Every structure is written in structure tokens, then in C-alpha cells.
Amino acid sequence: MKSQTIRQRNIPADISVSRRVQLKPTITLVLMLMLGMIFVAAKPYLFLSGIMMSMLGLFCLFVMPDGVLCEFTREYLILYNRKHSDCMLVYWEDIVSWHYEKHHNNDLLIITLVDGSTEIQEVYSKRIQKYMRNYVPDKEDRSRTRRLL
């Protein structure tokens, strides 16, 4: 098995990342900020809503922390939910199965490896499910996918 936990500084510098999943939804926040500004300028009765929406968007963009949850390459998946400076390289051929679980506060991507270990990644978007289907479509365990509401 080639998958392993390494320091982030030891990730090969010449990799080409095809997909990156960020913690903060930047595009959505910028759209919310722009919509808030439109509300402020549009009608007087939308002024307060526009100010509140703009302030929330600005707060989320500039005050809340951002980070990379995972990166997809042709050879492997890099999971960054380790302590401080560690990450997990998961090679595509080492994956036995994976499934996506939806929960109230966050979603989980659960990956089972050939040595029997399980990697659990907290995710906040279903986009990661689409990306996993692109890279390892035949290894999705649909019987274990569950939805908690």
C-alpha cells in the first residue's frame, strides 16, 4: 500500500492539482455581498436587508478562517484534516470503497483502504461526491450512503 501520512512540506512540488476543495465558499459569499449592495441601492425598504447581507458577507470573507480540505490529482487524493502540518496521501488504487454521509452539522467522506484502515474527511459540500465519482466511480459503496435529517 502506497498511501501514507506525511508532512505538508513533503508533498511533491511538481504535482498538478486538478480539483481543490476549500473550507470557505468564496464565490457564494462574494455573490451574497454583491446582492446585498444591489439591495442597498435598489429600494429604500430593502436598505436594512442589504446592509445586513453585505455585513455578513464581508465578515465571512475577511474574518472567518479558510483552508484547503482536500486536493485531487491524477495519482492520489490529499486529505488535509490532520493535526497541524500533516496530511494523508490516498492513492486511487489503494481505495477499496468510499461513501458519503450527510449529517446535520457537516458531511463525512469515508474511505476504506486496502489495509483495512478507514479515513474520514469532514466536508461541507456535496461537490466532493461528484469529484470522487469522477476519479473512482466503481468503488462507491452506495449501500452504506445514508442521510440523517
Side-chain angles (χ1 to χ4, degrees):
M1 183 171 105
K2 297 189 312 187
S3 297
Q4 59 186 329
T5 300
I6 64 170
R7 298 250 183 226
Q8 290 180 13
R9 67 175 180 252
N10 294 334
I11 295 174
D14 60 343
I15 64 167
S16 62
V17 175
S18 57
R19 300 281 184 199
R20 178 175 287 129
V21 178
Q22 297 283 126
L23 182 61
K24 192 185 313 185
T26 307
I27 295 172
T28 304
L29 293 172
V30 168
L31 290 174
M32 186 170 82
L33 178 64
M34 291 172 40
L35 186 63
M37 286 188 229
I38 290 171
F39 281 4
V40 167
K43 300 282 183 184
Y45 59 87
L46 294 176
F47 182 80
L48 186 59
S49 299
I51 291 291
M52 296 302 286
M53 190 179 294
S54 298
M55 288 176 59
L56 181 62
L58 283 171
F59 175 78
C60 291
L61 277 172
F62 296 111
V63 176
M64 294 186 71
D66 193 12
V68 179
L69 289 175
C70 60
E71 293 177 332
F72 291 83
T73 68
R74 273 186 272 140
E75 297 85 24
Y76 47 81
L77 168 67
I78 306 170
L79 301 174
Y80 288 101
N81 70 336
R82 303 273 171 228
K83 58 184 174 177
H84 307 292
S85 61
D86 290 346
C87 64
M88 177 75 179
L89 292 181
V90 179
Y91 285 84
W92 301 121
E93 62 266 12
D94 289 345
I95 296 176
V96 173
S97 66
W98 66 271
H99 67 279
Y100 180 87
E101 289 184 3
K102 184 163 182 60
H103 296 276
H104 293 291
N105 53 349
N106 62 356
D107 300 344
L108 297 175
L109 175 67
I110 301 171
I111 301 170
T112 306
L113 302 175
V114 293
D115 68 346
S117 63
T118 302
E119 292 298 322
I120 299 173
Q121 174 75 30
E122 291 182 3
V123 293
Y124 303 94
S125 171
K126 285 189 86 166
R127 271 186 316 162
I128 199 163
Q129 190 175 18
K130 182 179 102 174
Y131 298 154
M132 289 295 288
R133 284 181 180 155
N134 286 341
Y135 286 97
V136 281
D138 54 336
K139 297 182 181 181
E140 181 179 7
D141 188 1
R142 292 179 188 252
S143 65
R144 294 189 55 188
T145 301
R146 65 177 209 211
R147 184 182 184 115
L148 300 176
L149 296 174

